[in-house]
Amino acid sequence: MRGGPARAFEIMARPAGGTLVGTSVAIIALASISHLGCGGDAFSVASAPEGGAAEASVPVLDGAPADGSRGDGGLVDAGAGWCASHGTGHTFCEDFLTGVPDQLVEYAVNGAIAANTSDYESPPQSMAASVPMLAKGASAIAFASHDLSKATGTQFAVSAYFRGASCFPANGPQSGNTASVLAFNFTDSNYQIVVAVSPTSVELIEITADADGGNQKLQPQSVQSTGLLDTWQDWTLSVDGSALLKTATLTVGNETLFDKVNLKNAPPIVALQHPLVYLGLEVKNGGNDVWPACTIDVDDILIDVHAVAVAGAN
């Protein structure tokens, strides 16, 4: 199993044949990000509130009929799909043309992954990552992953369209909450890069740990930005894992939020390779308010791995 023993953020297991396995073995619970100014644990495996189950079930998607058809009475004819015209030359492409999560591997704890046939970037559907209402201290995970263990290179880029609404308590950032939506997990190096969103900012957070999962450390960088999840926008996270001074770039739509920022906690000598990529939603309610039920929709994913930097990749 990659990454050693189970830990506070457990690592997705892979059998000898290279295929990811399901929830019967140790799987990732990506470090849920509570805003760094608040008290309590920064990370935890998702759990229900004290005393039992979550306060509410995972929300039903507005306008999504139970039979999977569109609200206008029929399935959308998506033709060859988005990947047929955009995926050529890329390491991986997923447009959810034939299902959800399709080529990705689902991992949900107190959350759910489902098809959303009423809201998408390209037809016929997007991937909806949903979590229920959460009491103080409760957590939920609704992620899907792709394994890059067989891809050779140290230059990584993942591009995906995200959209979500009403995903934060009424008090916003004062409640001490952010939502993790995208991550690279370099399990060979015990190192993660997580993109977390609040109503007023975006955080790029490095997570390191010892081989046994102890001595966990965070290195956050934050920029002020609002409304990024209100409409469908292309989020692209690029990582240069080859140099002694490793960098990351995050763009949302036409806005560059982080431009080749130094990854201060990345291993200085060993190249970053073979990550697991996670997309969806993970939250831990570290504030004093009830976290409302929330859905983040994801669509049209491109992943690239290169041995050297490629101009204009993605």
Side-chain angles (χ1 to χ4, degrees):
M1 178 168 57
R2 291 176 73 190
R7 59 195 63 178
F9 53 102
E10 293 181 297
I11 302 303
M12 180 74 80
R14 180 189 299 106
T19 303
L20 292 174
V21 294
T23 56
S24 61
V25 297
I27 316 183
I28 181 174
L30 263 182
S32 293
I33 309 298
S34 291
H35 202 71
L36 300 178
C38 71
D41 295 336
F43 306 103
S44 75
V45 174
S47 60
E50 183 177 354
E55 291 193 359
S57 59
V58 172
V60 175
L61 301 179
D62 292 339
D67 63 0
S69 63
R70 286 207 63 181
D72 59 9
L75 293 174
V76 174
D77 181 3
W82 185 86
C83 282
S85 57
H86 295 78
T88 303
H90 294 277
T91 304
F92 175 82
C93 186
E94 176 59 77
D95 57 11
F96 306 111
L97 178 66
T98 60
V100 172
D102 199 20
Q103 302 173 83
L104 304 178
V105 176
E106 176 182 350
Y107 177 57
V109 177
N110 200 24
I113 296 293
N116 187 346
T117 58
S118 63
D119 195 0
Y120 42 72
E121 175 62 19
S122 70
Q125 59 202 348
S126 63
M127 181 185 79
S130 301
V131 301
M133 184 185 299
L134 298 173
K136 179 181 178 181
S139 303
I141 302 169
F143 267 126
S145 69
H146 182 66
D147 182 3
L148 293 173
S149 63
K150 295 182 179 180
T152 301
T154 58
Q155 307 289 318
F156 306 94
V158 56
S159 169
Y161 284 84
F162 287 87
R163 184 183 184 279
S166 303
C167 281
F168 300 96
N171 288 340
Q174 296 179 2
S175 66
N177 292 294
T178 60
S180 304
V181 296
L182 174 63
F184 281 114
N185 190 356
F186 297 94
T187 60
D188 295 339
S189 300
N190 300 302
Y191 176 74
Q192 298 181 26
I193 303 169
V194 178
V195 176
V197 185
S198 83
T200 59
S201 67
V202 175
E203 293 182 345
L204 188 68
I205 305 173
E206 299 174 72
I207 306 167
T208 58
D210 293 340
D212 62 359
N215 195 28
Q216 205 171 79
K217 296 179 181 178
L218 285 75
Q219 179 66 54
Q221 302 185 58
S222 179
V223 295
Q224 298 299 305
S225 192
T226 61
L228 295 180
L229 290 171
D230 293 345
T231 59
W232 282 106
Q233 293 199 79
D234 185 11
W235 294 57
T236 300
L237 176 61
S238 303
V239 174
D240 181 348
S242 62
L244 293 179
L245 189 63
K246 298 171 175 64
T247 64
T249 298
L250 177 67
T251 62
V252 179
N254 295 322
E255 183 178 3
T256 299
L257 302 180
F258 298 94
D259 189 6
K260 296 182 179 179
V261 296
N262 294 337
L263 296 173
K264 302 175 183 179
N265 283 12
I269 299 175
V270 178
L272 296 175
Q273 298 185 79
H274 310 137
L276 294 159
V277 179
Y278 290 89
L279 306 101
L281 177 63
E282 181 175 3
V283 297
K284 178 179 179 181
N285 188 357
N288 294 317
D289 300 324
V290 171
W291 188 293
C294 169
T295 296
I296 298 289
D297 295 309
V298 186
D299 206 356
D300 295 346
I301 302 164
L302 288 175
I303 300 176
D304 284 294
V305 182
H306 298 287
V308 296
V310 176
N314 261 17

